[in-house]
Amino acid sequence: EIVLTQSPATLSLSPGERATLSCRASQSVSNYLAWYQQKPGQAPRLLIYDTSNRATGIPARFSGSGSGTDFTLTISSLEPEDFAVYYCQQRSNWPPLTFGPGTKVDLK
Amino acid sequence: EVQLLESGGGLVQPGGSLRLSCAASGFTFSNYAMSWVRQAPGKGVEWVSTISSTGRSAYYAGSVKGRFTISRDNSMNTVYLQMNSLRVEDTAVYYCAKDKTGNFVGWFDSWGQGSLVTVSS
């Protein structure tokens, strides 16, 4: 099973700042990595798939990069609605599909 | 607009059974693999099970294999999760999720609102 770790656990930032979230896989997942955003009381929402492709309707301030075992989600300039929990997920070697533990982006 | 509506959650005793349903609309259901993903209270997201578009193939997380069964009825646009031998640690919100493409790729681009399952005596 591929284990995903995310850092930091919590990121405290202000609106307008740049957010950089990290996801590391226990073995290579090639480019088969996605990012989801989850707000309280809501289901997760797909942001990025295949490392760097934005899902439908996702603003350009969200971008993904990386390959192999190290991946990054960048939010170029935080908007108030971006404060949420972010999960990475891999589909390289499944079952099982696995998710990371999440990074919470909260208001500084 | 894609809509996924889960139902069937509730309170059940350890060792009991429950069946979740997910009614889908807004897309050609029979063309897409469907999955269940759960989230324990205050915890992260965990994949549970996936069924192929035809229903011929099903996959399970190790934690539920042998206890949960996923199935689908393409004539009713509905996917099910039969949960047997429930444990306290199965307590979670269960989400139904649609795959992003017709050929299963493992990215979930639409989710239901979730159905809470509580396993407690």
Side-chain angles (χ1 to χ4, degrees):
Chain A
E1 173 176 331
I2 295 177
V3 177
L4 300 177
T5 55
Q6 292 186 242
S7 61
T10 303
L11 194 53
S12 297
L13 295 169
S14 301
E17 289 193 292
R18 182 184 188 90
T20 303
L21 288 67
S22 175
C23 177
R24 177 165 288 179
S26 59
Q27 63 189 78
S28 177
V29 299
S30 184
N31 70 325
Y32 297 130
L33 191 103
W35 293 91
Y36 296 82
Q37 176 194 67
Q38 187 179 33
K39 297 179 182 178
Q42 296 184 16
R45 177 175 72 144
L46 180 65
L47 297 176
I48 302 284
Y49 64 95
D50 292 342
T51 297
S52 60
N53 295 303
R54 277 190 301 277
T56 302
I58 301 304
R61 64 180 181 274
F62 291 93
S63 63
S65 63
S67 67
T69 60
D70 290 294
F71 299 86
T72 300
L73 173 70
T74 302
I75 310 171
S76 59
S77 178
L78 281 165
E79 297 288 338
E81 62 268 27
D82 299 337
F83 292 93
V85 179
Y86 293 84
Y87 295 97
C88 58
Q89 179 227 326
Q90 69 81 25
R91 70 158 188 101
S92 172
N93 184 15
W94 80 283
L97 295 167
T98 54
F99 290 83
T103 290
K104 182 177 183 180
V105 178
D106 68 9
L107 197 56
K108 190 174 184 180
Chain B
E1 180 194 2
V2 172
Q3 290 197 341
L4 301 171
L5 187 62
E6 300 98 337
S7 60
L11 175 64
V12 62
Q13 291 188 337
S17 297
L18 215 54
R19 188 176 85 154
L20 302 181
S21 300
C22 171
S25 61
F27 64 103
T28 305
F29 180 75
S30 59
N31 286 353
Y32 290 84
M34 297 295 294
S35 299
W36 289 94
V37 180
R38 69 184 180 183
Q39 186 169 34
K43 302 297 185 183
V45 180
E46 180 188 19
W47 171 78
V48 173
S49 182
T50 292
I51 188 166
S52 64
S53 59
T54 62
R56 290 196 195 104
S57 299
Y59 309 89
Y60 299 94
S63 57
V64 307
K65 200 167 188 179
R67 301 188 298 123
F68 290 12
T69 302
I70 191 170
S71 61
R72 65 190 294 160
D73 183 340
N74 285 346
S75 68
M76 297 287 290
N77 290 353
T78 301
V79 61
Y80 304 97
L81 186 67
Q82 177 67 43
M83 303 183 292
N84 298 331
S85 303
L86 281 160
R87 304 168 180 168
V88 170
E89 55 265 33
D90 295 319
T91 295
V93 173
Y94 285 73
Y95 295 102
C96 169
K98 168 189 165 290
D99 196 68
K100 188 183 181 306
T101 71
N103 296 316
F104 179 67
V105 291
W107 306 139
F108 306 122
D109 69 344
S110 296
W111 299 61
Q113 86 290 347
S115 184
L116 176 62
V117 173
T118 303
V119 185
S120 175
S121 54

